[in-house]
Amino acid sequence: MPRGQGSSVSTHEKPKVDEVSTNEDYGRHRRTPFLLLGLLIVFLHGSWSVYRVQYANLPLPLNAEQAGKRGFSEASALEHVKYLAGLGPHPVGSDSLDLAVQYVYAVAEKIKKTAHWEVDVQLELFHTYIGANRIAGGLFNGKTMLYSDLKHVMLRVVPKYLLEAEENLILVSSHIDTVSTTEGAGDCSSCVGVMLELARGVAQWAHGFKSGVLFLFNTGEEEGLDGAHSFITQHRWRNAVRFAVDLEAMGISGKSTLFQGTDHWALESFASVAKYPSAQIASQDVFQSGAIKSATDFQIYREVGGLPGLDFAYTDRTSVYHTKNDKMKHLKPGSLQHIGENMLAFLLHAAASPKFMKDAIQAKQDGAEQNKAVFFDILGKYMVVYPQRLAIMFHNSIIFQSLLIWGTSLLMGGRPGLVSFGISCLSIVLMLISSVSLSAVVALALPYICSFPVSYVAHPWLVIGLFGSPALLGAFIGQHIGFIILKRHLKHVYSRTKPGLAHNVLGNIVSLEAERWIFKSGFVQWLIVLILGTYLKVGSSYIALIWLVSPAFAYGLMEATLSPARSPKQLKVVTLVLALAAPVVSSAGLAIHMVDIIIGSVVRIDRNPGGLPDWLGNVVVSVAIAVVISFTFVYLLSYAHISGAKKTLGFLLCVIFGLALVLVSSGIVPAFTEDIARSVNVVHVVDTTVVNSGNTEPSSYVTLFSNTPGKLTNELVNLRDEEFSCGRNRTVDFVTFTMKYGCLSYEGSNIGWSKSEVPVLSLESDAVTDDARQTIISVDTKSSTRWSMAINKQEIDDFTVHVDLENLVPLGNKTEIDGWHTIQFAGGKDSPTKFQLTLFWSSNAKDAFPKQVKSEDHSFLVKLRTDVNRVTPKVARVLEKLPRWCAPFGKSTSPYTLAFLTALPVNI
């Protein structure tokens, strides 16, 4: 980095008399509190403005007349969304899903009839065979996903007189089904509505295409990506697909952001034609790291189909994801118009371009690794795309130059300069530690102060005071400690090298020199991040590059001097403005958006209810905010240490924190609302595992549990007459997760179910042959076509699953999690309910005799949960009495409102 004026690296030259400024000159360096507060407000307001422009600036929706015959109309797409959402929840196997599929098929027929006369539109209702999805990546590690009786609507649009177009298809895919807890206006009826309107438009353009477009409206996505898997493994058109586009929703409305892309040429194609580009490789980095426990159909198309492609998703209001609040009223005007116009332009460009299809075919042969790219949008108006290998070369160049400049500077400065550099680096560490610690202390204390541990989800702006203020105060305190230590060191250096300076002049010189070192410590901070990001090939390391290069350039332009003997002067305000302009524009909106996503995800952070500490969700949010503040405020805070703003800044931050704390602790601002609800599931459980312990009757009870941290005290206010008892004294094993804290009620739970619905695990044979123990178990799930089974991998080496003599799950490739392999099955009403499970024991368990169980957690050989989507009288009463700010959370691993549990012990 360029050396600043009066850098301590030059310590051997005696100062000239005319270069020593008077005390009055140095007195002018004190900045007023108003100036610093003004800079802080400008920085915060600028960041918020960038966020609003980048993520909240939506296009005007068009009606059918305005869009014309070949354009995209949000009004028309919303008619489809309105109908599908009006059906209510439509999970796999429900009558409402059949109605949804019928509606999509009927609309597709109209598209076929009104298509351009030179366009061939082929429509098919695909009924899947029984199948097994055995991908092992991400959420699917330790699982096998089975499916049956799924129905998909497929619409293939090709030019009539170009036969090769049928063999080169661009797939556009989304899912019709929802989870059992929501009408799914966002996830993903909005996607289906967009696709139907896209298909209508594409059918008017396709006569000029070189490739065909296949619209896949699948079912079974919510049960483990089963719909996409069944198409890519079973349908005859699968081999003609060369490129895949997936539309998804991890929230509702806003901009549909491109968050996964495999190849730079495809990203460049999208960037060249998208009218309102919204794309962030940072989202891809976070998603693929596993930090977000979710998956999309894109994983199937990429891993199973080997297809290049693009993945889009809505990410606004993630707190309503898979809850009752995924409703039409939360769809923002312009959301569908945004993705619709982008996708229509992209499909018209890609399908008409021979080069695009050649690149797609070549990419499938080569693999995606060498075609990776860095991509991001600027203010939602421009999209930057370049190959990752180019990014690495450029980053390495910047890293090399930075290390060269720093090395040269420190070499010239000798030991004093090296010590100053070390102390400035210490200030970075102290800043981060202090910021995270102070913010985390508040996060740890909140569960003891507020009625709900997570008290800000419904009003995310509260985190500014709750965590942002302590984080900023901690960052300043940590940096100021480094500043004081640096001043002491510099005072010692200047006293030794420039003994003729007056005491007050020396103090001012030292302060100004320390300020410059603290400012330049930001270069070091971002340089370290850039080095790590480049080494790990993190695509979003471009952010570190911008936060390093822009401030360094501003400092070199406005502050550096070729005359090291000159005394230091105060940092110019214009330097700070120039330094932060590019970083704020490029990444401030993204930082705010990512924090908002984290906050929205806290309502479902506890995958095993009660398994995580109440404070953990707060700590995750607080640490994220503290890290963002520490890294982005490093330059701005360096201006405050020799100003009159220190006390004012501290007082203001304490007032903002105190106000936010009063609002959440008093309940003036509610933690949850009817629109932003707390996840609370009510499940009627019929547990037959106790039958194996000598009981003759199943145990029946109703459970209450939440994926949101915190006890259920407030939820039980109106449930006193239902006789719930809460605590950790009894856990409930739901096979795919464990309820470690919750509430149970046995009162009135003996009605609403029958013994004929209880699943049966029967031992057919158990023998040792050829020194190997083999056990055959018959499984009858009765009326349930949605179930989960866990197999004890501490005892079992391998297994097979047969359905009507068909080997559905062959031997080999069985991963495990915590000693269990889980099978999840979901299918339509005509799915089979009888299976044969063959277990091959491990070598140390080959004797067909009882043996000592290794641990209580693995006392069962096989565990089974079957689900019935029915509300029993007891559950109906509980749901009616729950506060309106409660909402069930649905997931493929979550049980329906009626669940049956059974198991076989190891000592069968």
Side-chain angles (χ1 to χ4, degrees):
M1 299 298 104
R3 287 188 294 133
Q5 298 165 338
S7 172
S8 64
V9 297
S10 294
T11 57
H12 304 294
E13 297 184 25
K14 294 184 179 180
K16 299 178 182 179
V17 176
D18 59 353
E19 291 176 335
V20 179
S21 304
T22 65
N23 189 42
E24 288 75 13
D25 293 331
Y26 282 107
R28 290 198 297 268
H29 75 259
R30 289 181 61 86
R31 302 182 183 92
T32 65
F34 299 103
L35 175 61
L36 266 297
L37 290 177
L39 289 173
L40 179 62
I41 292 172
V42 168
F43 179 77
L44 294 176
H45 183 267
S47 299
W48 179 250
S49 298
V50 167
Y51 167 74
R52 295 292 299 174
V53 170
Q54 189 167 4
Y55 289 99
N57 187 23
L58 296 168
L60 292 175
L62 301 180
N63 57 36
E65 184 179 350
Q66 291 170 322
K69 195 174 182 179
R70 293 186 167 188
F72 183 92
S73 166
E74 177 174 299
S76 298
L78 280 175
E79 289 299 316
H80 308 312
V81 181
K82 184 177 180 181
Y83 178 87
L84 294 172
L87 295 173
H90 35 283
V92 169
S94 64
D95 292 335
S96 53
L97 181 59
D98 290 339
L99 293 175
V101 171
Q102 291 171 18
Y103 174 81
V104 173
Y105 189 86
V107 175
E109 279 190 318
K110 293 180 182 179
I111 293 172
K112 179 178 180 179
K113 292 176 182 178
T114 58
H116 190 279
W117 67 275
E118 291 184 290
V119 174
D120 185 18
V121 177
Q122 300 167 25
L123 177 61
E124 182 175 332
L125 181 62
F126 177 48
H127 198 165
T128 68
Y129 312 113
I130 191 168
N133 178 2
R134 302 180 66 193
I135 61 174
L139 291 179
F140 299 94
N141 188 31
K143 292 181 180 179
T144 295
M145 316 299 294
L146 306 182
Y147 54 84
S148 177
D149 191 31
L150 302 178
K151 297 174 183 177
H152 314 323
V153 178
M154 291 184 291
L155 190 71
R156 186 171 71 168
V157 184
V158 294
K160 275 187 179 178
Y161 307 112
L162 191 66
L163 294 179
E164 56 265 35
E166 295 184 359
E167 300 303 319
N168 296 286
L169 300 177
I170 297 172
L171 174 68
V172 183
S173 173
S174 192
H175 62 95
I176 307 174
D177 62 306
T178 70
V179 293
S180 61
T181 55
T182 177
E183 65 188 37
D187 184 19
C188 209
S189 295
S190 61
C191 311
V192 174
V194 167
M195 283 177 56
L196 287 171
E197 180 63 5
L198 282 173
R200 184 198 61 79
V202 167
Q204 303 300 322
W205 288 94
H207 57 286
F209 286 179
K210 305 300 182 184
S211 309
V213 180
L214 174 60
F215 294 92
L216 171 62
F217 305 86
N218 70 64
T219 62
E221 190 273 349
E222 296 293 7
E223 299 299 339
L225 315 184
D226 295 336
H229 187 272
S230 63
F231 166 77
I232 212 69
T233 58
Q234 295 182 13
H235 198 271
R236 66 185 186 281
W237 287 344
R238 68 186 185 275
N239 294 324
V241 175
R242 311 300 181 190
F243 189 84
V245 176
D246 182 53
L247 302 184
E248 255 296 351
M250 299 170 64
I252 184 169
S253 77
K255 290 186 175 181
S256 185
T257 299
L258 171 59
F259 76 103
Q260 290 192 95
T262 57
D263 301 88
H264 70 84
W265 53 267
L267 292 161
E268 287 173 351
S269 296
F270 176 78
S272 65
V273 297
K275 191 173 181 180
Y276 314 105
S278 180
Q280 287 295 341
I281 194 173
S283 300
Q284 175 175 286
D285 291 337
V286 173
F287 191 79
Q288 294 184 356
S289 71
I292 298 178
K293 303 298 182 182
S294 189
T296 71
D297 284 339
F298 189 68
Q299 182 176 350
I300 297 292
Y301 300 135
R302 187 180 67 245
E303 295 183 15
V304 180
L307 297 171
L310 304 175
D311 200 5
F312 297 81
Y314 294 112
T315 53
D316 275 15
R317 296 175 73 99
T318 56
S319 56
V320 309
Y321 174 70
H322 282 196
T323 70
K324 67 177 183 180
N325 293 314
D326 188 358
K327 299 177 180 178
M328 283 288 296
K329 69 176 184 178
H330 295 313
L331 280 173
K332 297 178 183 176
S335 298
L336 273 60
Q337 192 70 41
H338 171 264
I339 183 60
E341 291 199 37
N342 281 346
M343 284 308 307
L344 182 59
F346 173 70
L347 291 176
L348 297 182
H349 168 75
S353 170
K355 182 180 184 303
F356 183 90
M357 191 51 60
K358 289 180 181 178
D359 289 339
I361 295 172
Q362 187 64 41
K364 187 174 181 179
Q365 296 173 352
D366 296 343
E369 190 65 30
Q370 65 181 18
N371 289 318
K372 285 186 176 180
V374 176
F375 59 93
F376 56 93
D377 72 275
I378 300 175
L379 300 179
K381 299 185 181 300
Y382 308 99
M383 183 170 166
V384 179
V385 181
Y386 51 93
Q388 190 174 64
R389 60 181 182 274
L390 178 62
I392 293 175
M393 291 173 57
F394 185 52
H395 292 181
N396 286 335
S397 174
I398 296 297
I399 292 170
F400 175 76
Q401 293 178 53
S402 300
L403 293 176
L404 182 63
I405 293 172
W406 271 111
T408 303
S409 178
L410 295 176
L411 185 63
M412 293 177 62
R415 184 176 179 277
L418 188 61
V419 173
S420 298
F421 173 79
I423 297 174
S424 66
C425 292
L426 175 64
S427 73
I428 300 172
V429 177
L430 293 174
M431 182 180 186
L432 185 61
I433 292 175
S434 181
S435 179
V436 170
S437 299
L438 205 55
S439 186
V441 166
V442 177
L444 291 169
L446 273 184
Y448 304 99
I449 299 173
C450 306
S451 300
F452 295 96
V454 182
S455 51
Y456 45 81
V457 175
H459 303 88
W461 52 268
L462 286 169
V463 300
I464 298 174
L466 290 174
F467 304 133
S469 293
L472 185 57
L473 181 61
F476 176 73
I477 291 173
Q479 194 183 67
H480 193 67
I481 293 174
F483 177 79
I484 292 173
I485 297 173
L486 186 57
K487 278 179 57 177
R488 291 180 178 176
H489 164 68
L490 292 174
K491 186 175 182 179
H492 174 74
V493 172
Y494 273 94
S495 297
R496 180 168 51 84
T497 59
K498 298 183 179 181
L501 292 176
H503 179 74
N504 54 357
V505 174
L506 175 63
N508 287 325
I509 291 177
V510 167
S511 296
L512 292 173
E513 180 74 358
E515 179 185 63
R516 288 173 173 268
W517 273 108
I518 293 296
F519 184 89
K520 290 186 290 185
S521 69
F523 306 161
V524 181
Q525 171 185 270
W526 286 107
L527 177 60
I528 294 172
V529 175
L530 181 61
I531 292 173
L532 291 175
T534 303
Y535 175 75
L536 298 174
K537 296 182 179 180
V538 178
S540 53
S541 55
Y542 77 89
I543 296 173
L545 179 74
I546 296 173
W547 279 88
L548 167 64
V549 172
S550 180
F553 176 79
Y555 184 88
L557 181 66
M558 304 301 301
E559 306 292 346
T561 176
L562 297 177
S563 177
R566 291 183 58 185
S567 298
K569 295 182 179 180
Q570 66 176 354
L571 290 173
K572 302 178 181 67
V573 173
V574 68
T575 302
L576 183 65
V577 174
L578 289 175
L580 297 183
V584 167
V585 168
S586 65
S587 57
L590 174 63
I592 295 174
H593 187 62
M594 295 299 288
V595 169
D596 184 54
I597 291 175
I598 294 173
I599 293 172
S601 301
V602 169
V603 295
R604 54 184 182 275
I605 192 174
D606 199 349
R607 299 180 67 84
N608 295 288
L612 298 178
D614 290 350
W615 45 261
L616 185 62
N618 293 329
V619 170
V620 170
V621 175
S622 66
V623 169
I625 292 174
V627 170
V628 169
I629 285 177
S630 296
F631 277 84
T632 57
F633 278 77
V634 62
Y635 300 112
L636 176 60
L637 290 179
S638 65
Y639 278 65
H641 300 293
I642 55 176
S643 71
K646 292 188 288 292
K647 292 183 179 179
T648 304
L649 178 64
F651 175 76
L652 180 63
L653 293 176
C654 289
V655 168
I656 294 174
F657 167 70
L659 180 61
L661 192 60
V662 168
L663 290 176
V664 297
S665 61
S666 64
I668 296 175
V669 178
F672 299 98
T673 66
E674 186 175 356
D675 288 338
I676 306 295
R678 184 186 185 188
S679 163
V680 179
N681 282 40
V682 184
V683 181
H684 193 146
V685 178
V686 180
D687 188 355
T688 66
T689 57
V690 296
V691 174
N692 295 316
S693 301
N695 296 312
T696 58
E697 294 293 328
S699 174
S700 177
Y701 50 86
V702 172
T703 63
L704 214 68
F705 58 85
S706 177
N707 296 103
T708 308
K711 295 182 179 180
L712 297 168
T713 307
N714 293 278
E715 287 78 2
L716 291 177
V717 171
N718 297 325
L719 292 173
R720 294 192 181 100
D721 57 337
E722 298 296 340
E723 300 182 12
F724 276 98
S725 61
C726 304
R728 300 175 182 271
N729 55 333
R730 178 177 176 184
T731 62
V732 179
D733 185 351
F734 282 103
V735 180
T736 53
F737 69 95
T738 302
M739 186 194 80
K740 298 183 178 180
Y741 166 83
C743 304
L744 271 66
S745 172
Y746 291 88
E747 190 273 332
S749 65
N750 59 342
I751 59 174
W753 59 275
S754 66
K755 287 187 178 180
S756 63
E757 295 177 296
V758 176
V760 176
L761 293 174
S762 301
L763 177 65
E764 290 191 3
S765 66
D766 184 27
V768 176
T769 58
D770 298 329
D771 294 328
R773 183 180 178 185
Q774 180 176 311
T775 301
I776 299 177
I777 298 171
S778 64
V779 181
D780 188 351
T781 63
K782 299 297 184 173
S783 61
S784 176
T785 58
R786 183 183 193 262
W787 50 266
S788 299
M789 177 188 294
I791 297 171
N792 189 342
K793 287 287 287 179
Q794 288 191 3
E795 307 290 339
I796 302 301
D797 268 345
D798 210 341
F799 63 87
T800 63
V801 177
H802 286 76
V803 179
D804 296 330
L805 301 180
E806 178 184 353
N807 190 0
L808 190 60
V809 181
L811 294 171
N813 301 323
K814 308 295 196 314
T815 56
E816 62 183 80
I817 296 292
D818 297 328
W820 297 92
H821 184 94
T822 305
I823 304 174
Q824 290 179 222
F825 181 94
K829 293 185 286 292
D830 295 329
S831 297
T833 58
K834 295 183 178 180
F835 305 83
Q836 186 182 76
L837 179 66
T838 304
L839 305 177
F840 299 90
W841 293 69
S842 59
S843 57
N844 62 352
K846 62 184 178 182
D847 296 328
F849 300 102
K851 64 189 197 65
Q852 189 68 31
V853 178
K854 295 180 181 178
S855 68
E856 183 178 350
D857 290 340
H858 288 79
S859 60
F860 290 117
L861 182 67
V862 176
K863 301 183 296 184
L864 175 66
R865 186 195 79 222
T866 58
D867 299 330
V868 179
N869 194 12
R870 184 170 73 241
V871 177
T872 61
K874 171 77 170 182
V875 171
R877 294 198 305 271
V878 174
L879 291 173
E880 181 66 26
K881 294 176 182 179
L882 279 177
R884 297 177 69 86
W885 41 262
C886 293
F889 172 69
K891 197 68 178 173
S892 61
T893 54
S894 296
Y896 284 161
T897 46
L898 177 58
F900 295 86
L901 304 178
T902 190
L904 284 179
V906 169
N907 300 324
I908 54 177

